[in-house]
Amino acid sequence: MPALTLSGISNAYASMRYPVINPSNSKCSTIPIFSLNNQYSRNFHLSWLGFFVAFLSWFAFAPLIPDAIKTDLNLTSEEVGNSNIVSLCATLVVRLISGLLVDRYGPRKVMAGLLIIGTIPSGLAGTISTVQGLYIVRFFIGILGATFVSCQAWNTAFFDKNVVGTANALGGGWGDTGGGFTFIIMIALFNQLLANGMSPHVAWRVAFAIVPVPILLSVAAATLMFGTDHPAGKWSDRYKAVATTLPTSDDQTSNSENIKTKSGDDIETGDEKNIEVTVTAVTATNLVSELDAAVNNPLSLNTAYEIVLNPLTWLPSLAYMTTFGYELAIQVNLATVLYTLFKSPTFGQTKAGYIAGIYGLLNVFFRPLGGYFGDLIYVKFGVPGKKYLTIACGVAQGLLSLGLGFYIDNHSHPSLEVIIVIFVIVAMFNEVANGVNFSLVPHCNPNSNGFMTGIVGAMGNLGGIFFAIIFRFQPYPLGRAFWIAGVITVGVNLLLCIIRVPQF
């Protein structure tokens, strides 16, 4: 038993260190996160890093707007709420557009382009002097939220069906933690600038110049220099990487026998040009799926029409609208809610921001966990397993949000500790649901993954706008927005049970 355990640990480490390539489509059947000496590892890390740094500008207003920016620009609470909604609007449109661009030009170039374009409004943040200027800058900074589409499509292009859920969830989850780290970074920098003698009027503006702009440009440059378009090489060569027909189980067994392997389940190693691999070490590669021969095709009107009318498009889209949309609304409103509930000499903007940042930081673990669960359940229950797990997590999130709202509204002096515990549990189900969802997306319209990812991502933003509007127009009592969002989430997810999915 000890030897078996050690062997299992060794193989698990090897799967995170060395790429294992499926010869039928050149995709990787492991996630080698502890390496940078191959294109699969580099592209994975660049995908989540690009999405991560986008948050440093996209959510940079959220931790400072409850007090510093609101006071400096003489904003009303309604104008703060409006600016939160505006910040999500551009992302909605650009996610759809970027999905089309990904299918045509590839995720690497689209990712770098979005980061470069996003530096322009980020650099102009310090020039804001009116509420109209705040709306304009936050709208165009929202372009950076579309980096999510490139992140997910990039991982889908490089990772095989048995790990694509985990790869997407790790990329999305680690990227999402940028929302949490932004709270920590911007508040700490703002407070340090105040300690150095700057006025609040100058300090929040300087914070924008120091953090987002140089980091966005640096990651864009790294993406162009070190990333690759596709396992086949250039994006235009992507059709060369797949077999002309879907493989059968016998074909895959034959392929694995033709590859040089060690005895047992050990994973061979090698340099980037000569990686010796085995597919027999991964159980799920023996499942025959449409993903085996799927290739991103440029969108045509007929294809767009078919995708829009396909119920498989709306299954993950509506689910993501209620889960990631909820997360977006919470991340831009939670600090303000906590500040309003507990404002005192010992509880100010800084404390509210740090506590609110917990929600985003939990993505580092729970969204990847959702992707892992999706891949795990796929081996036994196929795509239906991913579907019902996504729905179950969404329903649980809705019920917990309902409970949080009722708790706040039914207690004149709610406990901060209780609220933190409840919203952490809400975040667990919320972020697991997001992770499972993007293990489901690659199975829906797989030959238009960029466009599909753009639709689902855009629907997530639409949900963010929708839930942010609830927080904007139902500010009091403070728990009302939470329980209204919970009721909607439960209802929508239960309706999705009727949509049929492929077996594998």
Side-chain angles (χ1 to χ4, degrees), residues 104 233 271 284 375:
R104 183 168 292 275
D271 60 30
D375 288 337

Side-chain angles (χ1 to χ4, degrees), residues 210-443:
I210 292 175
V211 176
V213 175
I215 294 177
L216 290 172
L217 288 174
S218 297
V219 175
T223 298
L224 292 173
M225 291 171 61
F226 303 114
T228 56
D229 289 338
H230 193 272
K234 295 180 180 179
W235 187 249
S236 58
D237 294 331
R238 63 193 182 279
Y239 297 99
K240 301 176 183 178
V242 298
T244 55
T245 59
L246 288 174
T248 65
S249 296
D250 291 341
D251 291 335
Q252 289 177 332
T253 301
S254 176
N255 281 336
S256 66
E257 290 173 353
N258 291 329
I259 301 169
K260 182 180 179 182
T261 64
K262 291 182 181 178
S263 59
D265 287 337
D266 290 343
I267 297 174
E268 296 275 359
T269 66
D271 60 30
E272 185 172 355
K273 296 181 180 179
N274 184 29
I275 301 173
E276 300 170 352
V277 299
T278 173
V279 256
T280 56
V282 185
T283 304
T285 54
N286 295 321
L287 301 174
V288 177
S289 167
E290 190 178 356
L291 294 184
D292 292 318
V295 177
N296 294 58
N297 293 318
L299 195 70
S300 66
L301 286 176
N302 287 337
T303 304
Y305 181 75
E306 292 173 2
I307 290 173
V308 169
L309 294 182
N310 189 349
L312 277 176
T313 301
W314 300 105
L315 169 60
S317 297
L318 291 172
Y320 204 59
M321 181 186 76
T322 62
T323 56
F324 186 67
Y326 180 87
E327 180 181 345
L328 285 177
I330 292 298
Q331 290 207 45
V332 297
N333 285 284
L334 186 56
T336 301
V337 170
L338 294 174
Y339 183 69
T340 305
L341 272 175
F342 301 106
K343 182 180 178 182
S344 71
T346 59
F347 193 98
Q349 172 184 265
T350 298
K351 194 168 184 178
Y354 281 145
I355 294 173
I358 294 172
Y359 202 101
L361 289 173
L362 290 171
N363 275 293
V364 76
F365 179 74
F366 287 109
R367 183 158 181 157
L369 190 64
Y372 173 74
F373 285 157
D375 288 337
L376 200 63
I377 205 168
Y378 175 69
V379 175
K380 188 169 185 179
F381 298 104
V383 181
K386 292 185 176 185
K387 166 192 162 181
Y388 287 112
L389 182 57
T390 301
I391 292 171
C393 289
V395 170
Q397 169 205 308
L399 292 174
L400 286 161
S401 183
L402 194 68
L404 177 60
F406 284 156
Y407 173 77
I408 293 173
D409 285 351
N410 289 297
H411 292 77
S412 56
H413 299 288
S415 165
L416 176 61
E417 290 76 13
V418 171
I419 289 177
I420 291 174
V421 169
I422 296 175
F423 85 64
V424 165
I425 299 174
V426 172
M428 288 167 53
F429 284 97
N430 178 204
E431 292 163 9
V432 167
N434 292 334
V436 182
N437 193 301
F438 268 87
S439 73
L440 176 62
V441 169
H443 299 275

Side-chain angles (χ1 to χ4, degrees), residues 185-206:
I185 293 168
M186 294 302 287
I187 289 173
L189 179 58
F190 175 76
N191 288 339
Q192 184 59 50
L193 293 172
L194 291 181
N196 290 342
M198 288 187 184
S199 66
H201 171 80
V202 175
W204 75 263
R205 301 167 190 273
V206 172

Side-chain angles (χ1 to χ4, degrees), residues 3-55:
L4 181 61
T5 302
L6 289 175
S7 175
I9 293 173
S10 176
N11 286 333
Y13 172 74
S15 70
M16 293 186 285
R17 182 74 173 84
Y18 305 113
V20 177
I21 315 304
N22 183 344
S24 68
N25 55 20
S26 299
K27 292 185 177 183
C28 191
S29 294
T30 58
I31 308 176
I33 58 176
F34 297 138
S35 173
L36 288 175
N37 68 350
N38 64 87
Q39 63 173 341
Y40 301 94
S41 301
R42 290 196 297 272
N43 292 330
F44 168 76
H45 286 298
L46 287 170
S47 74
W48 72 261
L49 186 60
F51 185 39
F52 178 94
V53 300
F55 274 99

